[in-house]
Amino acid sequence: MKRIILIFILCLVAPAFAAKPRAVVIFYADDLGYGDTSVYGQPKVPTANLEALAREGCRFMDAHSATPICTPSRFSLLTGRYAFRRPGTRILDGDAKLILPVEGSGEENVTLPVLMKRAGYRTAAIGKWHLGLGDGEGAIDWNGEIKPSPRETGFDHSFVMAATADRVPCVFIENGTVAGLDKDDPIEVSYDSVERKWSDEITARTNPELLKEWGRPSDRQHDKTIIDGISRIGHMRGGEASRWKDQDLADRITAEAEAFIREAAGEPIFLYFATNDIHVPRDPNMRFRGKSGLGIRGDATVQMDDSLGRIRKALKENGYEDALFIFTSDNGPKVSDGYEDGARDAWAEENPAAPFTGGKYTVREGGTRIPMIVAWPGHVRPGTVNRALISQTDFARSLAKIVGADVPDGACSDSQELSCVILGESEKGRESLVEQPAWGPWGYRKGAWKLIDTPEPQLYFLDDDPAESRNLAAEHPAKADELRSELRGLTRGARL
Ligand code: CA
């Protein structure tokens, strides 16, 4: 008891006296499931750098992304708000308008990067963006200045993909302009729902012989313009010199992160690094091929682990040995997601969400329960495990507390200040959590209880039944009613 009281007191006073980390890094994996890596129990996918991170830090067992899909999870992480507060926060196309509040649009709209900036950090977003670009007043000018871009949301520096690797445009945008663009070869982008936007457009339907073996579409969404041997969602022409090569994508963004760390020369930095791995299309560099026992999808995870190792090495070599490093994923796994890349066969006997069920797009636990590891030398106890319920929505207030930034009234309104949990000092996390769906019924967690709000409610007790296989609603009708009424109260008026 005395020890608990002491820890409680330390938690109250420690953040006020603790030194601030000189680097705060969020390494955001894409579509990586709870059971996808060796560090969470998948022996066929070796992730040595993640294992090293776990040995130096704390591994979380009940951490959640806000939703089971890319865009709204990112929105929640960066705003500290449930994504359903903003109607229409769903998976965005590559030409969608920016949905993140711009800096200066009101104190209640303050974002995590703005809070970090105010605390004296030089901020950067590198990798996948997928939060829209431009103000929606007319089409985005891919050949001029794109504004607003991440720069206007609090990032001093940005080098990003507009959306996903399976969506056009397949170029990087560096501080508001397309990197490496040849002005004589302007870019055009369209998401018209036509088979072919231009008479000379090369698509998976017109020229399937140009597709790489693992770049063949498995649905009618991913069968448009072929770029680098892979057909994409949407139509693109021009910009040949600026197009990325998928096999170099991870190396390119990792090199940008290394350069940002190097050039910051010891100044306090906040790096939001969002890798494309292991989202489709999976086309990892040849040096990672065959490095996992689970095909191209496992190999992409080994590539992700390489990026993580390189960024941590760059931090250590450039005076950021004390970095607060957070590794996590934006949603659960989806083995086959638009391409015939062999993943379905390779993973036929595996569960990338193990021991949970479901995955990307679902409100079963596998949809939002994601891997999360936090290390901060001298602050987070090495080799520990934390079972608290925590959401990425809580990063905003918790990181603000750690770096000493004031959160204005009304801002980050769904974010809970759980710095003691993030630093592994406490296992007292959230009491409850809304699990926003991609579509369909909502999920809700309260302690180990889980409700799925279908017409006949589903109630599970996860401590005994992580796979959500035994519906206890008939046995515990009062508990089911309690959770349903709380969930409906919290999400009243929400529109997906
Ligand atoms: Ca994702």
Side-chain angles (χ1 to χ4, degrees):
M1 191 63 195
K2 270 186 185 163
R3 189 168 172 269
I4 293 170
I5 292 168
L6 181 67
I7 289 173
F8 182 69
I9 292 169
L10 280 174
C11 260
L12 287 179
V13 301
F17 296 102
K20 294 194 320 195
R22 267 184 313 129
V24 176
V25 179
I26 296 175
F27 186 106
Y28 213 23
D30 198 348
D31 293 6
L32 187 82
Y34 192 88
D36 250 327
T37 61
S38 60
V39 76
Y40 278 84
Q42 174 46 270
K44 294 180 191 164
V45 183
T47 43
N49 293 306
L50 265 183
E51 288 186 23
L53 184 70
R55 279 196 301 276
E56 292 171 34
C58 181
R59 202 157 48 97
F60 288 78
M61 313 305 277
D62 201 0
H64 290 253
S65 56
T67 78
I69 44 174
C70 306
T71 299
S73 288
R74 287 155 203 266
F75 177 88
S76 290
L77 187 154
L78 292 172
T79 62
R81 286 200 174 126
Y82 279 133
F84 61 79
R85 306 283 185 209
R86 189 193 177 285
T89 301
R90 59 178 75 89
I91 300 174
L92 297 180
D93 281 333
D95 62 351
K97 74 167 184 177
L98 180 75
I99 60 164
L100 214 58
V102 297
E103 194 173 0
S105 64
E107 284 298 278
E108 71 284 5
N109 290 328
V110 157
T111 59
L112 173 59
V114 169
L115 289 169
M116 297 303 287
K117 241 168 106 165
R118 290 181 182 176
Y121 288 79
R122 192 158 150 184
T123 58
I126 294 173
K128 172 169 161 176
W129 182 239
H130 211 185
L131 289 159
L133 295 163
D135 58 10
E137 304 286 320
I140 295 168
D141 180 8
W142 301 104
N143 307 295
E145 192 186 11
I146 299 164
K147 196 174 176 182
S149 78
R151 266 205 305 197
E152 282 70 40
T153 67
F155 289 107
D156 297 315
H157 175 70
S158 61
F159 185 89
V160 296
M161 306 153 63
T164 52
D166 58 350
R167 285 178 172 78
V168 299
C170 298
V171 295
F172 297 108
I173 297 140
E174 185 169 18
N175 296 323
T177 55
V178 171
L181 179 68
D182 173 0
K183 297 277 184 199
D184 295 329
D185 182 24
I187 292 172
E188 281 180 80
V189 168
S190 166
Y191 277 82
D192 285 357
S193 58
V194 290
E195 193 70 34
R196 216 175 176 194
K197 175 71 183 169
W198 305 286
S199 60
D200 58 349
E201 186 182 5
I202 306 258
T203 74
R205 301 291 155 195
T206 64
N207 296 76
E209 74 284 1
L210 296 178
L211 293 168
K212 291 176 186 174
E213 183 192 336
W214 48 86
R216 288 173 288 125
S218 63
D219 59 35
R220 297 308 298 263
Q221 191 187 17
H222 289 81
D223 64 357
K224 304 304 182 297
T225 310
I226 294 176
I227 292 169
D228 196 23
I230 298 168
S231 54
R232 318 279 168 161
I233 304 173
H235 313 272
M236 173 180 181
R237 68 174 170 183
E240 291 281 347
S242 56
R243 296 179 180 189
W244 68 56
K245 295 272 183 249
D246 291 80
Q247 290 184 17
D248 298 337
L249 212 161
D251 281 337
R252 182 75 194 275
I253 58 175
T254 305
E256 289 292 330
E258 290 169 322
F260 171 72
I261 292 164
R262 205 168 45 240
E263 285 158 18
E267 289 298 306
I269 53 170
F270 170 61
L271 170 61
Y272 169 73
F273 181 84
T275 173
N276 175 64
D277 292 320
I278 57 171
H279 197 284
V280 293
R282 303 173 188 119
D283 192 5
N285 192 276
M286 282 300 173
R287 71 184 191 278
F288 300 108
R289 297 296 172 97
K291 292 292 178 306
S292 78
L294 288 172
I296 210 165
R297 185 172 178 277
D299 297 349
T301 308
V302 178
Q303 175 171 273
M304 176 208 75
D305 186 66
D306 175 76
S307 294
L308 182 133
R310 282 166 57 189
I311 290 173
R312 292 196 72 215
K313 185 164 178 278
L315 290 164
K316 285 175 185 166
E317 288 176 354
N318 289 279
Y320 297 104
E321 297 85 353
D322 72 333
L324 167 54
F325 197 100
I326 302 176
F327 164 80
T328 190
S329 173
D330 70 336
N331 53 252
K334 180 87 172 107
V335 168
S336 189
D337 201 12
Y339 295 95
E340 300 290 356
D341 62 3
R344 200 191 314 265
D345 289 343
W347 286 78
E349 303 296 320
E350 309 290 336
N351 174 10
F356 307 105
T357 53
K360 184 176 185 182
Y361 308 117
T362 80
V363 288
R364 287 196 164 262
E365 282 296 282
T368 62
R369 192 170 322 199
I370 36 70
M372 173 170 153
I373 305 172
V374 178
W376 185 15
H379 298 266
V380 176
R381 277 189 300 145
T384 46
V385 161
N386 192 306
R387 292 185 169 76
L389 177 64
I390 184 165
S391 166
Q392 289 164 5
T393 311
D394 304 324
F395 287 4
R397 276 185 184 273
S398 305
L399 290 176
K401 176 79 173 177
I402 290 167
V403 303
D406 289 328
V407 179
D409 288 346
C412 311
S413 50
D414 295 304
S415 184
Q416 296 188 9
E417 199 285 279
L418 295 174
S419 56
C420 275
V421 173
I422 286 188
L423 300 183
E425 294 159 355
S426 165
E427 286 205 318
K428 190 168 168 20
R430 284 176 159 262
E431 284 186 5
S432 64
L433 177 72
V434 175
E435 296 179 353
Q436 174 178 335
W439 50 78
W442 292 68
Y444 184 62
R445 280 284 309 279
K446 191 169 186 187
W449 290 101
K450 163 79 176 275
L451 176 94
I452 298 179
D453 193 9
T454 36
E456 288 297 320
Q458 300 174 49
L459 182 72
Y460 302 102
F461 191 70
L462 299 173
D463 282 355
D464 299 336
D465 180 24
E468 295 165 81
S469 63
R470 292 189 299 278
N471 185 358
L472 303 175
E475 219 173 299
H476 297 275
K479 182 56 81 177
D481 283 349
E482 173 196 329
L483 266 65
R484 186 157 65 176
S485 132
E486 285 183 20
L487 168 66
R488 291 186 178 179
L490 280 163
T491 58
R492 187 165 294 123
R495 281 182 292 132
L496 296 177

